[in-house]
Amino acid sequence: MKFLHILLIFLFFSCDNNNSNPLEIQLREEVIVENDVFTISYSESKEQPNWIEYTVRDFVKVADRGNMDFYKVSNVWTSDDNDYYKNEWDKGHMAPAGSFTDSWSNLEKTFSFVNCALQKDNLNRGEWRELEEQVRDWAKDIGPVNVRIELKFSTESQVLSTGASVPDGFYKFLTFSDNRKMCFYFENKSTDKNWSDYEILCN
């Protein structure tokens, strides 16, 4: 399996970047990806983000996700559909699609695999989503909200047979326009509480 993983990495970079020598490619612990929506630190070795920062603003919706699906970014080794096939993990948006429907271009940017994490299906569709909706409401009512998400990994983190590491949990740090802060931590498992019950002290 390890040999197959290395072979796939070799083929990926040799096909994706003809100007580089694939023999010199090593999986990086941090690759910074930045666009008009977010800034992401991505771990190629874990095939998951390290952290992401973005800002939620009041907006007028003009685009709809429809049949959009996640796509790979050139020259970054990421997770792919195989990591999410017939298991308990959702393709969890880190920068939420629903917060960037102000243009088709911005919405499409959220569907990159660099913006995607292995997230427990019940969490992704439950309290995590509800907090995303609440942040949009706050942005509409009191102004832009800066968001930073940090993924937690440990020596006990599950590694799938496909090679991707499953985050232990997700920190979400919110900073409001008056510099007030709110912080949350969600373990990467099924939830049975309200999103507000996951608030932690900011330190």
Side-chain angles (χ1 to χ4, degrees):
M1 178 62 69
K2 190 67 176 179
F3 173 78
L4 177 59
H5 194 204
I6 293 172
L7 178 60
L8 290 174
I9 295 171
F10 179 94
L11 292 174
F12 172 83
F13 281 104
S14 61
C15 292
D16 197 54
N17 187 354
N18 294 326
N19 294 324
S20 64
N21 180 357
L23 294 176
E24 298 175 354
I25 294 298
Q26 293 185 342
L27 295 183
R28 296 165 287 184
E29 290 300 323
E30 182 176 61
V31 182
I32 300 298
V33 179
E34 187 171 9
N35 58 37
D36 293 337
V37 171
F38 54 68
T39 299
I40 284 180
S41 164
Y42 196 87
S43 170
E44 293 180 323
S45 59
K46 295 183 179 70
E47 300 182 10
Q48 295 287 280
N50 295 311
W51 55 262
I52 176 174
E53 294 179 341
Y54 60 91
T55 300
V56 179
R57 298 178 173 85
D58 187 20
F59 62 90
V60 175
K61 180 178 178 178
V62 300
D64 192 281
R65 62 188 296 169
N67 294 322
M68 281 190 182
D69 203 357
F70 286 87
Y71 60 89
K72 293 179 72 70
V73 171
S74 177
N75 296 328
V76 182
W77 181 260
T78 66
S79 63
D80 57 31
D81 287 326
N82 293 325
D83 298 305
Y84 300 87
Y85 183 67
K86 291 186 177 179
N87 59 29
E88 62 190 295
W89 310 111
D90 272 0
K91 297 173 184 174
H93 280 85
M94 293 293 93
S99 298
F100 296 97
T101 57
D102 55 321
S103 74
W104 288 99
S105 175
N106 283 348
L107 179 59
E108 183 182 30
K109 288 180 175 68
T110 70
F111 278 89
S112 159
F113 268 108
V114 299
N115 185 43
C116 177
L118 287 153
Q119 193 168 51
K120 177 68 177 176
D121 48 12
N122 175 269
L123 171 62
N124 181 50
R125 305 171 200 182
E127 281 72 13
W128 186 263
R129 175 186 58 81
E130 292 170 4
L131 180 53
E132 290 174 339
E133 293 174 352
Q134 180 61 61
V135 170
R136 287 195 285 273
D137 288 342
W138 283 329
K140 180 178 181 179
D141 293 338
I142 61 177
V145 181
N146 293 325
V147 181
R148 179 181 172 94
I149 297 170
E150 295 180 6
L151 286 72
K152 180 183 177 183
F153 296 94
S154 69
T155 56
E156 304 300 319
S157 297
Q158 179 182 354
V159 180
L160 303 181
S161 61
T162 50
S165 296
V166 179
D168 299 337
F170 304 87
Y171 291 96
K172 179 171 281 190
F173 306 120
L174 309 180
T175 303
F176 298 88
S177 54
D178 60 0
N179 289 322
R180 184 170 56 91
K181 298 180 185 295
M182 294 182 71
C183 301
F184 301 84
Y185 178 70
F186 295 84
E187 290 188 71
N188 198 7
K189 61 183 183 181
S190 295
T191 60
D192 57 1
K193 304 176 184 178
N194 187 275
W195 61 263
S196 59
D197 294 324
Y198 293 89
E199 187 174 1
I200 60 173
L201 294 176
C202 296
N203 53 39

